[in-house]
Amino acid sequence: MLRLALASVVFLLPLTARAGEVTVLAAASLKTALDEIALSFQAATGHDVVASYAGSSALARQIEQAIPGDVFISASLEWMNTLADQTLIDPDSRTDLLENEIVLVAHEALDPVTIDGNLDLAGMLGNGFLAMALVDAVPAGQYGKAALETLGLWSSLEDRVAQADNVRAALALVATGEAPFGIVYRTDASAEPAVTVVGTFPTDSHPRIVYPAAALASSDNPVTEEFLDFLEGPEARQVFEAQGFKVIAGE
């Protein structure tokens, strides 16, 4: 059971409308963008969207347990590959949709810092902890740990990490002041006015952050393909880019 209550969004149509429904299982970092895209999709097609958000690892494990759903959008290639290896996704529907960055955020407004091997992040924490998503399971935590290891900072920080079930939970720890600093996606930081971005991790310090999307192999829902196409269209692109994502589908 996740410690963070997962958000679900259901958009209802007028009773006179005849529509389908698509169930989307998506990485927690997509919530702000996908909530808005779901509204646009409903307005354009008349179809309902039910969206459930959690860490990609938790969603992948639920898919392995045959949770009902139509679309999976992961925050890492690894978890999508895991499902592909088990033939749990439709390979013909799979696309690499988005890119993201990881950043260091602070609860207080601070001057920017250069994130490299000379950064005394342990000293910056004082008596506090560094908020991160689960470092061995959730993509945001895995990317953050990889970056800290590459920069030679992990050994001084591994006992100072407050791990959360997903990246939005880690963000909340910083936003509420429970942790002075955290590592989250740039898009999460953009969605939370109570944190300040103080630095961006070098792209060569961690694996490329790619969000793949695919239909679940168990889905025979005719709305699924329509929704996946919409994610690559101009309306969704505008929303994703406004939230700080780089749209790579079609490149």
Side-chain angles (χ1 to χ4, degrees):
M1 178 70 69
L2 291 175
R3 291 190 294 274
L4 179 69
L6 303 182
S8 292
V9 184
V10 181
F11 302 103
L12 300 178
L13 296 171
L15 294 178
T16 55
R18 299 183 63 187
E21 179 180 279
V22 61
T23 299
V24 182
L25 311 174
S29 53
L30 289 164
K31 185 181 187 313
T32 303
L34 276 185
D35 281 357
E36 185 174 346
I37 289 168
L39 285 172
S40 297
F41 180 73
Q42 180 197 18
T45 68
H47 299 312
D48 296 342
V49 176
V50 177
S52 294
Y53 303 99
S56 298
S57 56
L59 292 173
R61 293 186 181 110
Q62 290 177 41
I63 293 168
E64 290 174 331
Q65 299 289 324
I67 184 177
D70 299 305
V71 174
F72 177 45
I73 312 176
S74 173
S76 82
L77 296 169
E78 176 186 354
W79 287 109
M80 188 67 79
N81 290 342
T82 296
L83 297 182
D85 290 343
Q86 300 175 67
T87 65
L88 293 175
I89 64 164
D90 174 6
D92 293 333
S93 71
R94 180 174 174 172
T95 184
D96 289 342
L97 186 63
L98 306 166
E99 271 190 335
N100 211 339
E101 297 179 298
I102 51 171
V103 297
L104 180 68
V105 293
H107 176 64
E108 298 180 357
L110 300 174
D111 292 332
V113 299
T114 299
I115 299 182
D116 58 22
N118 296 316
L119 181 67
D120 183 16
L121 185 50
M124 292 168 60
L125 288 172
N127 295 323
F129 286 80
L130 179 67
M132 296 177 66
L134 295 170
V135 299
D136 293 324
V138 177
Q142 293 172 314
Y143 294 131
K145 179 182 177 183
L148 294 172
E149 287 178 332
T150 298
L151 298 173
L153 302 177
W154 179 248
S155 61
S156 65
L157 293 166
E158 59 181 321
D159 295 330
R160 308 283 304 281
V161 175
Q163 297 188 51
D165 288 325
N166 60 63
V167 69
R168 285 298 175 99
L171 179 70
L173 291 176
V174 183
T176 58
E178 293 182 65
F181 293 93
I183 298 176
V184 299
Y185 295 120
R186 178 174 296 281
T187 51
D188 294 304
S190 297
E192 177 50 77
V195 304
T196 300
V197 175
V198 294
T200 301
F201 285 84
T203 56
D204 61 359
S205 67
H206 56 79
R208 185 183 178 204
I209 302 173
V210 176
Y211 288 65
L216 300 189
S218 59
S219 174
D220 58 1
N221 186 347
V223 182
T224 298
E225 183 177 357
E226 195 171 351
F227 182 77
L228 286 169
D229 288 342
F230 193 85
L231 289 178
E232 297 187 41
E235 291 180 77
R237 174 183 287 271
Q238 184 176 7
V239 174
F240 283 133
E241 291 179 344
Q243 292 296 324
F245 290 99
K246 178 183 177 183
V247 180
I248 58 175
E251 287 187 351

